[in-house]
């Protein structure tokens, strides 16, 4: 090891430190870059990945075996050590250090163990609030109104009301329920429920349980609760064996050809076909199960990082208004700055805000914002035991403050621009192995030639010290923390290039 260190020192003397891409001996990796540890936004970050064992390593395998006696473990990759993980780096049970570009399925905004988040529960008042977790729909704490007002004023997508929930699925589920309530309230006018409605609802029959529908899109993912599975259309394994609302319609979502600038005419035609289909579905559904709402992601994530144009979303909103349906924009994955704006739908310059905007994941807290037009008159209609989590709301406040203090929106755009440029260079170098680089901010994806090769790239990235995630049938998505900086981009691109070169070389030999 001493000889290796001497060799590294010699190289540092003869080369610009910024240009040293990849130093390797056996399974030990050391990265150096111009933005050193002192300049990292999260103090104490490693200089780069360090892989010591196979993945999963022996300690993870032992832990997974133990866990398998208690619960399902088919999706577990390895056990993480959250005591040691920091910033952009996830440490596993065996001490392997990985640059995490997937961040626990896009849920970690500021990286692991960010000081601002850790400080939240150093405050004894906050700690008591977390320990004495309240049923917020019945007994909110004395400071809960101010906390909700602060969150609303800080990040509301121009909507005046907020409802906290527990997770992304239940945020979408309750936004859909509220859309149904608003739709029926509008139909009833000022009249209250009839006795027939009350009694028939107990038996799951109309008119109390009306035959209405929600329109969603192919490739969409809105959650795994039983109701939301009828709007989720990304993978069969998520839906098999579960009864669904068969009369809830599904429309085509634009899937563009890339590069966009070379396929603008064809992509506009794709928009037109999809919108015509939505319009036809509205007309057909009026005869059987009228559409009360449309739920849509600004970027389809689980379904393959499918983007649609601002024009598509503007026309979709107008179709909703023309047909008295409510527009629910699912920003569970796209919210909280990762696309380069706090809310991705800000890119679409809609004439007015959507009726609902749901959130979760990077926000840690979950819920939805909504308009005055969909307010609920009767208590207990949108309700569960917790109605959110005070501890998660406190973390959200810390995240919002840190985004402002560290100007993380600008950082996301700088890192995202560098990532996109670097990936497009790799696309040119490794055509047709990868294609269709696309994204906003650091919310980025690219396609690999087929599903099997995509999965191989993800495995090899992990062996090289990068935690990555797939989506769709052949896409790799990046969901890094907001503290993902330019030197992290360099590390990611260096390792990815090595992986692509290895796969490409193997393909040529065959």
């Amino acid at each position: 090891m001493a000889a290796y260190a001497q060799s590294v020192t010699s190289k540092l003397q003869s080369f610009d430190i910024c240009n040293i891409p990849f130093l390797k001996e056996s399974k030990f990796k050391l990265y150096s870059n111009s933005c050193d540890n002192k300049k990292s936004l999260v103090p104490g970050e490693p200089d780069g990945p360090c892989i010591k064992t196979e993945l999963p390593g022996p300690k993870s395998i032992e832990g997974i075996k133990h866990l398998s006696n208690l619960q399902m473990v088919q999706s577990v990759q390895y056990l993480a050590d959250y005591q040691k993980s920091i910033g952009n780096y996830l440490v596993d049970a065996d001490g392997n250090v990985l640059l995490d570009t997937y961040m626990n399925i896009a849920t970690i905004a500021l990286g692991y163990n960010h000081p601002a988040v850790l400080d939240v529960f150093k405050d004894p008042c906050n700690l008591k609030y977390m320990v004495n977790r309240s049923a917020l729909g019945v007994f909110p704490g004395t400071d809960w109104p101010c906390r909700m007002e602060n969150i609303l004023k800080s990040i509301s997508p121009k909507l005046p009301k907020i409802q906290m929930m527990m997770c992304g699925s239940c945020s979408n589920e309750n936004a859909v329920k509220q859309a149904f309530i608003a739709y029926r309230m509008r139909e009833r006018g000022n009249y209250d429920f009839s006795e027939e409605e009350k009694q028939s609802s107990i038996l799951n029959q109309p008119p109390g349980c009306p035959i209405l529908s929600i329109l969603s899109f192919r490739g969409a993912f809105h959650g795994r609760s039983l109701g939301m599975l009828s709007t989720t259309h990304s993978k069969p394994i998520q839906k098999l064996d579960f009864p669904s609302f068969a009369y809830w319609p599904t429309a085509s979502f634009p899937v563009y050809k890339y590069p966009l600038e070379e396929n603008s005419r064809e992509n506009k035609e794709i928009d037109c076909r999809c919108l015509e289909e939505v319009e036809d579905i509205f007309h057909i559904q009026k005869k059987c199960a009228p559409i009360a709402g449309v739920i849509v992601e600004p970027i389809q994530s689980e379904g393959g990082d499918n983007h649609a144009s601002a024009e598509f979303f503007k026309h979709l909103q107008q179709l909703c208004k023309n047909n008295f349906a409510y527009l629910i924009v699912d920003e569970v994955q796209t919210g909280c700055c990762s696309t380069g704006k706090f809310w991705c739908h800000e890119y679409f310059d809609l004439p007015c805000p959507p009726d609902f905007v749901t959130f979760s994941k990077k926000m840690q807290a979950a819920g939805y914002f909504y308009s005055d037009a969909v307010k609920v008159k009767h208590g207990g209609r949108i309700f569960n035991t917790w109605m959110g989590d005070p501890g998660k709301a406190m973390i959200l406040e810390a995240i919002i403050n840190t985004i402002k203090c560290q100007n993380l929106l600008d950082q996301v755009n700088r890192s995202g621009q560098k990532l996109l440029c670097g990936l497009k260079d790799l696309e040119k170098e490794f055509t047709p192995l990868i294609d269709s680089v696309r994204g906003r901010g650091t919310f980025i994806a690219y396609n690999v030639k087929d599903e099997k090769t995509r999965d191989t790239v993800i495995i090899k990235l992990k062996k090289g010290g990068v935690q990555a995630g797939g989506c769709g049938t052949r896409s790799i998505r990046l969901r890094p923390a907001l503290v993902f900086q330019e030197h992290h981009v360099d590390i990611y691109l260096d390792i990815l290039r090595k992986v692509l070169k290895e796969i490409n070389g193997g393909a040529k030999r065959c």
Side-chain angles (χ1 to χ4, degrees):
M1 204 59 170
Y4 175 71
Q6 187 175 1
S7 135
V8 171
T9 304
S10 173
K11 290 181 181 180
L12 289 177
Q13 289 172 347
S14 56
F15 290 91
D16 182 351
I17 196 168
C18 298
N19 295 324
I20 298 174
F22 203 176
L23 303 174
K24 176 182 177 184
E25 180 184 81
S26 183
K27 292 180 179 178
F28 176 78
K29 296 173 186 162
L30 169 68
Y31 291 87
S32 299
N33 46 65
S34 58
C35 192
D36 62 22
N37 212 20
K38 290 183 291 185
K39 294 182 181 177
S40 290
L41 289 168
V42 183
E45 272 199 336
D47 290 327
C50 179
I51 302 301
K52 301 175 180 178
T53 72
E54 296 296 326
L55 291 166
K59 291 182 180 178
S60 276
I61 291 172
E62 182 182 352
I64 292 169
K65 184 179 179 181
H66 182 192
L67 192 60
S68 70
N69 296 323
L70 310 168
Q71 65 174 63
M72 294 176 286
V73 296
Q74 292 92 329
S75 60
V76 176
Q77 296 184 25
Y78 50 80
L79 300 188
D81 187 339
Y82 293 109
Q83 302 299 314
K84 296 178 182 176
S85 300
I86 186 159
N88 292 278
Y89 291 92
L90 181 62
V91 180
D92 77 356
D94 293 276
N96 296 302
V97 181
L98 295 97
L99 178 66
D100 194 350
T101 64
Y102 195 39
M103 279 288 147
N104 271 250
I105 321 178
T107 61
I108 312 292
L110 303 179
Y112 298 103
N113 289 308
H114 193 286
V117 177
L118 293 177
D119 284 347
V120 169
F121 299 113
K122 289 181 181 178
D123 183 336
C125 294
N126 288 349
L127 189 60
K128 287 179 180 178
Y129 217 138
M130 184 181 72
V131 170
N132 297 293
R133 185 179 180 184
S134 58
L136 291 166
V138 185
F139 305 108
T142 54
D143 63 346
W144 191 245
C146 289
R147 287 189 185 278
M148 290 300 95
E149 186 178 35
N150 289 340
I151 291 170
L152 192 72
K153 287 180 176 177
S154 298
I155 61 171
S156 173
K158 299 180 180 178
L159 289 170
K161 298 289 190 295
I162 184 172
Q163 180 60 64
M164 302 301 282
M165 283 289 159
M166 294 303 303
C167 66
S169 291
C170 64
S171 298
N172 286 330
E173 183 100 14
N174 282 280
V176 164
K177 285 168 62 180
Q178 194 162 329
F180 283 135
I181 291 169
Y183 190 89
R184 289 292 291 132
M185 281 174 59
R186 189 179 61 220
E187 285 188 329
R188 267 191 212 96
N190 292 323
Y191 294 100
D192 206 344
F193 310 112
S194 68
E195 194 59 32
E196 183 186 10
E197 286 176 317
K198 292 176 184 177
Q199 295 306 316
S200 61
S201 71
I202 300 298
L203 301 174
N204 302 331
Q205 297 293 320
C209 293
I211 301 176
L212 297 173
S213 64
I214 295 292
L215 186 146
S216 53
F217 292 88
R218 293 186 186 95
F221 182 89
H222 299 293
R224 295 172 183 265
S225 61
L226 199 56
M228 284 302 93
L229 280 175
S230 291
T231 66
T232 287
H233 314 287
S234 51
K235 293 177 182 175
I237 197 66
Q238 296 160 349
K239 296 172 67 74
L240 287 163
D241 296 333
F242 303 125
S244 65
F245 292 103
Y247 46 83
W248 285 19
T250 307
S252 299
F253 190 83
V255 179
Y256 292 150
K257 293 195 172 182
Y258 292 85
L260 292 175
E261 57 274 14
E262 295 176 15
N263 296 280
S264 59
R265 181 176 177 181
E266 188 167 353
N267 289 336
K268 284 180 182 178
E269 290 173 356
I270 292 171
D271 274 355
C272 289
R273 286 198 299 271
C274 292
L275 289 164
E276 286 173 4
E277 185 178 338
V278 170
E279 190 166 17
D280 288 344
I281 290 171
F282 264 114
H283 179 70
I284 292 167
Q285 289 291 126
K286 285 178 182 177
K287 302 173 185 176
C288 53
I291 296 169
V294 173
I295 187 167
V296 64
E297 300 158 273
I299 301 171
Q300 283 190 339
S301 303
E302 182 75 13
D305 266 38
N306 301 315
H307 292 245
S309 67
E311 288 70 28
F312 172 83
F313 282 98
K314 286 176 183 174
H315 281 95
L316 180 64
Q317 185 180 49
Q318 190 57 52
L319 283 172
C320 289
K321 290 185 178 301
N322 294 347
N323 290 277
F324 306 103
Y326 298 103
L327 179 60
I328 305 166
V329 176
D330 175 357
E331 293 250 24
V332 165
Q333 192 158 152
T334 52
C336 201
C337 297
S338 59
T339 64
K341 291 184 182 290
F342 198 95
W343 301 107
C344 185
H345 76 268
E346 292 178 62
Y347 282 105
F348 307 146
D349 194 24
L350 298 175
C352 60
D355 299 291
F356 300 86
V357 175
T358 64
F359 62 88
S360 185
K361 290 215 179 254
K362 272 188 168 63
M363 309 262 284
Q364 291 291 296
Y368 56 92
F369 296 92
Y370 62 95
S371 69
D372 282 324
V374 296
K375 283 193 299 186
V376 177
K377 286 198 308 184
H378 301 83
R381 305 206 70 193
I382 302 295
F383 189 83
N384 57 50
T385 298
W386 300 121
M387 298 294 281
D389 183 338
K392 294 298 186 290
M394 293 168 191
I395 291 174
L396 175 55
E397 287 180 316
I399 290 170
I400 294 167
N401 290 337
T402 305
I403 288 169
K404 293 176 181 176
C405 291
Q406 294 192 334
N407 205 8
L408 293 183
L409 202 53
D410 283 353
Q411 180 62 63
V412 166
N413 283 303
R414 290 196 305 272
S415 297
Q417 184 60 35
K418 184 167 185 174
L419 257 175
L420 276 173
C421 290
L423 287 169
K424 286 179 179 178
D425 287 343
L426 290 176
E427 182 179 8
K428 292 174 186 174
E429 183 177 356
F430 293 100
T431 300
L433 182 56
I434 66 169
D435 64 85
S436 303
V437 173
R438 58 203 180 275
R440 297 182 185 273
T442 54
F443 198 101
I444 292 171
Y446 53 94
N447 291 350
V448 182
K449 66 175 183 178
D450 55 50
E451 186 172 5
K452 182 179 178 181
T453 309
R454 186 273 308 274
D455 294 345
T456 299
V457 171
I458 290 174
I459 290 168
K460 287 183 177 294
L461 281 171
K462 191 187 297 181
K463 289 181 178 179
V466 170
Q467 180 63 50
C471 62
T473 55
R474 62 186 186 98
S475 298
I476 293 177
R477 51 178 159 173
L478 286 98
R479 299 293 186 268
L482 306 180
V483 293
F484 194 76
Q485 295 170 261
E486 289 86 344
H487 60 285
H488 302 118
V489 174
D490 289 334
I491 293 171
Y492 177 80
L493 293 173
D494 284 344
I495 296 174
L496 177 60
R497 186 179 186 280
K498 179 178 181 294
V499 167
L500 296 175
K501 191 174 181 180
E502 182 182 339
I503 292 173
N504 212 36
K508 286 177 181 177
R509 284 195 297 277
C510 292

